[in-house]
Amino acid sequence: MTMPQRFGPYGGRYVPETLVSALEELEAAYETYRADPGFIAELDTLQSDYAGRPTPLFFARRLSEKVGCRIYLKREDLAHTGAHKINNTLGQILLAVRMGKKRIIAETGAGQHGVATATVAALFGLECHVYMGAEDIRRQELNVFRMRLLGAEVLPVTSGAGTLKDATNEAIRDWVAGVENTHYIIGSVVGPAPYPTLVRDFQAVIGRETRAQILVKEGRLPDGLVACVGAGSNAIGMFREFVDEPSVRMIGVEAAGMGLDSGRHGASLARGVKGILHGSYSYVLQDEDGQIQEAHSIAAGLDYPSVGPEHSYLKDLGRVEYQSATDDEALAAFQTLSRLEGIIPALESSHALAYLLREGGTKGGRPHGFGSDDVVVLNLSGRGDKDVYSAAAALGVTA
Amino acid sequence: MSAHKDPASTGHPAAASALTQVFRAAGKPLLMPYAVGGYPDPDSCVEIVRAYVKNGADLVELGIPFSDPLADGPVVQSASAAALRRGVRLADVLRIAGVMAEEGVRVVLLSYLNTILAFGPERFFDRCRDGGVLGVVVPDVPVEEATDLRATAGARGVDVILLAAPTSTDGRLARIAQAASGFIYCVSTVGVTGSRASLRADLPGFVARVREHTELPLAVGFGVSTAEQAEEVAGYADGVIIGSALVDMVARSRSLSEGLAAIGRFVYRVRSMPSLSR
C-alpha cells in the first residue's frame, strides 16, 4: 500500500536531492505507524486527554435564522492551543519521536502552527525552532511570546516580504542542512510528498467526528460543508470524510483580500497558475515569468500564494466549489458571529462564515443557495483571540 | 591520481553528449565558476563571465534568478533578488548565455523548475539549443520528477544535470546514474549553497560511492569556497564548481572593476593549483 505521491497531476516531490532520502524515510515511517495499534492508541489518547477531542458540534440557532439554513459549527476553536493545528502537530511529533529525531523545526505565519508545534515539542522534550517572517513577528507579538514561553526559539526571517512564504523557504533550507537529525513539522497540506497526504490524514479527524456527531443530531449527513482555504488543512480535514458522498456539497472559501482584481489577495485557486512552490505542483500566485507573488489577507493564516495540491485536484474535478471572501466581508462576519453566538472566530474561519452571510442572491435569497431545511456544517477552525488587535486596528477602534 | 577514465573504457550505452565530451577532452578536472545571471546587471554579468574565462575557467554555470531559491544560501538569494529588482528576466539570461557561447564559452544554466514551466519547457530548451547551452541544472527536480524534462531537453541535445547528495542512498544513486547525462552534480555539503570553513570529511567517500554507479564525469559544488578546497576536490572529482564565494566578491566590491579584479585573481589562483593546472 504505497501512498500516492500525486492528486491527479498535482503534488509530487520537487525538492533538492539532499531532502529526498528524508522524505522517503518519513513516508516509510508513516506507512508503518499509521497502521500500528500502539501509535494509533497513543495518538487517540493524546487527542482526547491533551487536545480535548472530540470537539463539539454546536447548532448555531441565531446564526441559522440570519443565514436561512441550519448551521452547525464544528468547534475546532475549542481544541488545545485554539485551532485545528494541534491535530497535525500531535501526529507528526509521534512520528518524529519514533524516527529518533532530536530536533523539530516549523514555519509559521500568524503563529498558530508555531504555537501548536512548540506545544508538542514541549510535551515530548524536543528542541524546537520556529521560522517566522519578521513582518509577522511584528504583527503577532502575542503568539511569539507564547512560543518562547513554551521553550521554542523563534527565528526571524527577513528575506522577501518577511511573511509565511519566506518563513517556509527558510524552514526548508534549515531542513536541508539539518536533515540527518531534524524533523520538519510542516503546518498544512502543502510541501513535497508525503506531507500533503500525512497532514490531511491527521486532520481528517475533523470530518470523522463531524459525521458521527451530525448523524446523532440530525439522523442524516449534512447537505453542505463550508471551510476557509489558505493552504487548506482545515478544509481538507473536514472534506476528506465526505468526498465520496455525492449528496454533500462542499465549499472552500479563499481570501479575496482587497478584491480579486486588486492583485492583493490569497486566492490561489481563483487566480493562480499551475506551478511549483515549496516542493509541490499546484495552483500558485505567480507572474508571467514564474516568479512567486506575495499573497495578502487580513487573516495571516490565509496569506499564502499557493494551496494544497489536493485542493487543486478537487477544483479541477469540480467536487469542491471554491469561493472567496474579502477582508471587509471577513471582518464583518467576525463581528456578526461574536454578537449572534458569543463566539469570537479566527479571521481565517470568518472567511467561511462570510460566504454564508453574503447577500444579494437571486430572488432575494442568499447566494449560498441552501434552503431553510438544509443542514450545513461550518468548520470553525480557530478562535479569534489572536486577532482582536488587528481587527481593532482595521475597524479603527482601540482594543 | 587522475579521476578521469579512458573514454574507451566507458560502459555507458548512449553516445557521450557534447557536455560529457568537454570533460573527457580536458584531461584534467574542469574549473566551473558560477554567476547569477544578469547580476549585478546584464552587461556586468557578461564582463564577469569573461573574467572567469580569461583567468582559466573551463565552463561557466549561469544561474537564472528566481524569487524563492530554496537550495541557495544568503549570498545567492540576495544576488538573485537584486537581479529581479533590476528587472532581469529569463530571456535576458538566455541572451547572455548565447553571447557567451558565441565567444566560445561553454555554458551550463541553473534554473529552478517553476521558471522553466512558466516559460514553457519546449520553448526553453529550444532556446538553450539555439544559444549553445550544453546543459541545465534544475536543483529542485530529483530524478523521479525529471522524466518529462529530460525527454524535452534530450530531444534538443541539451543535458538535464541531475544532482547527487551525501544523503542519497545507494538505491537512489543507481537511479540517478541510470537517468543522468552530461555530468552528475555532486552536492558537497548537506545544506544550501554558500561558503563553508571546511569540506565534509566523508566527501571523497561520497564521490567514490557515486562513481561506483556511473562512468559520467562528476563535478562537485555547494560550499567549495577556497583554492585549497578546490585543489582537494580536484584530487577526486572531474569538475569543481565555485559559486557563492565569487558572487560574494562581486557583492562586496565597490565598483565593477574592483569586483572583476577580485574574481579574476581568485579564479586565476584556483586555476593555478596543481590538480587544476595540468
Side-chain angles (χ1 to χ4, degrees):
Chain A
M1 53 166 202
T2 309
M3 272 186 284
Q5 306 235 327
R6 289 184 183 265
F7 308 91
Y10 303 106
R13 192 173 272 173
Y14 298 93
V15 292
E17 171 63 22
T18 305
L19 288 182
V20 178
S21 296
L23 292 167
E24 289 177 345
E25 179 194 357
L26 176 61
E27 182 174 333
Y30 182 53
E31 290 281 4
T32 302
Y33 291 115
R34 72 171 173 176
D36 175 64
F39 180 88
I40 295 168
E42 187 176 1
L43 182 56
D44 283 351
T45 302
L46 285 169
Q47 291 286 22
S48 62
D49 299 356
Y50 186 69
R53 304 204 70 88
T55 58
L57 187 70
F58 172 69
F59 177 64
R61 183 179 59 82
R62 299 185 67 210
L63 178 69
S64 296
E65 282 166 13
K66 183 167 177 72
V67 168
C69 57
R70 298 176 58 75
I71 298 180
Y72 284 84
L73 304 177
K74 179 59 174 165
R75 297 292 307 275
E76 292 300 298
D77 60 316
L78 293 177
H80 182 41
T81 72
H84 70 292
K85 294 292 186 187
I86 192 82
N87 302 332
N88 169 44
T89 61
L90 277 175
Q92 287 205 47
I93 199 88
L94 293 185
L95 284 177
V97 168
R98 281 165 173 74
M99 289 189 294
K101 304 290 181 179
K102 302 293 179 216
R103 179 173 173 268
I104 297 298
I105 58 168
E107 85 296 336
T108 197
Q112 292 302 101
H113 173 61
V115 168
T117 303
T119 297
V120 298
L123 182 64
F124 284 88
L126 298 185
E127 180 186 342
C128 179
H129 291 175
V130 180
Y131 287 92
M132 188 168 184
E135 175 61 18
D136 287 335
I137 286 180
R138 194 186 59 74
R139 291 193 288 192
Q140 298 287 342
E141 218 176 328
L142 178 67
N143 274 340
V144 173
F145 180 69
R146 290 170 79 195
M147 285 184 268
R148 288 182 175 147
L149 194 61
L150 291 160
E153 190 174 339
V154 180
L155 302 161
V157 176
T158 52
S159 57
T163 57
L164 178 59
K165 167 175 85 78
D166 312 295
T168 307
N169 286 334
E170 220 46 60
I172 293 173
R173 290 182 185 119
D174 178 310
W175 199 34
V176 173
V179 65
E180 287 149 316
N181 70 358
T182 300
H183 177 65
Y184 176 23
I185 300 190
I186 205 164
S188 192
V189 285
V190 294
Y195 279 112
T197 303
L198 183 149
V199 176
R200 175 198 70 196
D201 292 353
F202 288 138
Q203 291 294 358
V205 65
I206 301 171
R208 282 198 305 274
E209 287 176 6
T210 298
R211 177 193 284 265
Q213 290 166 321
I214 202 74
L215 286 176
V216 168
K217 289 176 193 294
E218 293 280 345
R220 63 183 181 91
L221 293 179
D223 300 291
L225 304 172
V226 187
C228 64
V229 177
S233 71
N234 90 83
I236 285 283
M238 175 59 88
F239 295 165
R240 176 65 183 171
E241 177 73 16
F242 300 95
V243 164
D244 297 326
E245 300 285 359
S247 69
V248 181
R249 197 180 140 201
M250 303 193 293
I251 300 159
V253 185
E254 294 190 288
M258 301 168 88
L260 289 181
D261 295 326
S262 69
R264 306 257 304 141
H265 60 77
S268 315
L269 290 165
R271 292 300 171 94
V273 173
K274 295 169 194 177
I276 309 278
L277 182 65
H278 299 146
S280 64
Y281 183 63
S282 197
Y283 284 94
V284 179
L285 297 178
Q286 54 182 309
D287 69 15
E288 57 176 327
D289 290 345
Q291 308 297 345
I292 311 301
Q293 292 173 318
E294 296 296 337
H296 163 81
S297 172
I298 191 170
L302 305 183
D303 198 345
Y304 185 69
S306 185
V307 64
E310 192 166 7
H311 282 293
S312 292
Y313 187 48
L314 291 168
K315 171 195 155 89
D316 286 5
L317 290 176
R319 179 63 190 96
V320 177
E321 294 166 45
Y322 291 95
Q323 304 282 350
S324 63
T326 64
D327 287 353
D328 288 346
E329 289 178 306
L331 206 52
F334 177 79
Q335 298 168 87
T336 300
L337 191 69
S338 300
R339 292 184 186 183
L340 285 182
E341 301 289 350
I343 296 170
I344 302 173
L347 280 172
E348 289 77 10
S349 324
S350 300
H351 284 72
L353 196 57
Y355 171 71
L356 288 175
L357 286 164
R358 186 174 293 156
E359 294 175 353
T362 52
K363 295 178 281 182
R366 289 177 192 265
H368 60 62
F370 291 110
S372 58
D373 292 333
D374 284 348
V375 172
V376 176
V377 178
L378 185 143
N379 196 19
L380 197 70
S381 54
R383 69 180 182 219
D385 307 47
K386 70 182 173 61
D387 296 317
V388 294
Y389 289 101
S390 44
L395 293 167
V397 298
T398 314
Chain B
M1 79 176 190
S2 170
H4 285 265
K5 314 231 165 179
D6 176 357
S9 76
T10 65
H12 210 252
S17 72
L19 181 52
T20 303
Q21 285 170 21
V22 171
F23 284 85
R24 300 237 164 100
K28 69 163 195 81
L30 302 187
L31 175 54
M32 306 163 63
Y34 164 94
V36 174
Y39 175 78
D41 59 76
D43 289 346
S44 304
C45 180
V46 168
E47 293 305 316
I48 288 165
V49 174
R50 284 180 181 143
Y52 287 168
V53 174
K54 194 176 126 199
N55 288 284
D58 299 294
L59 192 153
V60 173
E61 190 186 357
L62 268 184
I64 294 166
F66 179 53
S67 56
D68 294 76
L70 52 77
D72 284 302
V75 170
V76 173
Q77 279 174 51
S78 76
S80 300
L84 291 174
R85 278 195 303 275
R86 287 193 72 104
V88 171
R89 305 179 64 178
L90 173 53
D92 298 313
V93 183
L94 286 168
R95 196 169 50 243
I96 295 168
V99 168
M100 296 292 83
E102 218 156 85
E103 293 181 13
V105 181
R106 286 130 175 176
V107 178
V108 167
L109 297 178
L110 182 147
S111 176
Y112 287 85
L113 180 58
N114 201 51
T115 323
I116 297 173
L117 294 181
F119 195 79
E122 288 167 4
R123 182 173 162 228
F124 175 76
F125 288 111
D126 279 346
R127 294 284 304 272
C128 288
R129 176 197 58 206
D130 298 347
V133 170
L134 296 169
V136 182
V137 182
V138 192
D140 56 348
V141 174
V143 58
E144 292 82 357
E145 306 289 6
T147 311
D148 293 351
L149 216 54
R150 282 170 43 225
T152 308
R156 291 157 177 84
V158 179
D159 290 319
V160 170
I161 312 303
L162 297 178
L163 293 89
T167 51
S168 306
T169 57
D170 285 332
R172 294 195 56 73
L173 291 179
R175 257 176 285 165
I176 292 164
Q178 187 71 35
S181 64
F183 66 91
I184 293 178
Y185 191 135
C186 299
V187 176
S188 55
T189 50
V190 174
V192 294
T193 60
S195 301
R196 302 292 194 284
S198 60
L199 298 169
R200 275 174 87 96
D202 63 357
L203 185 55
F206 161 57
V207 174
R209 203 156 62 83
V210 181
R211 213 180 280 288
E212 282 172 21
H213 297 275
T214 186
E215 300 286 334
L216 283 175
L218 306 182
V220 171
F222 274 47
V224 181
S225 52
T226 68
E228 291 70 25
Q229 289 172 346
E231 169 65 12
E232 189 184 326
V233 167
Y236 45 77
D238 310 306
V240 183
I241 301 165
I242 303 180
S244 298
L246 288 160
V247 176
D248 197 36
M249 284 176 202
V250 174
R252 284 173 189 279
S253 57
R254 282 160 298 184
S255 66
L256 178 63
S257 57
E258 186 188 309
L260 291 173
I263 59 174
R265 275 195 305 274
F266 181 68
V267 171
Y268 184 78
R269 185 164 130 66
V270 177
R271 170 56 195 251
S272 307
M273 299 304 280
S275 300
L276 286 152
S277 58
R278 280 170 299 169

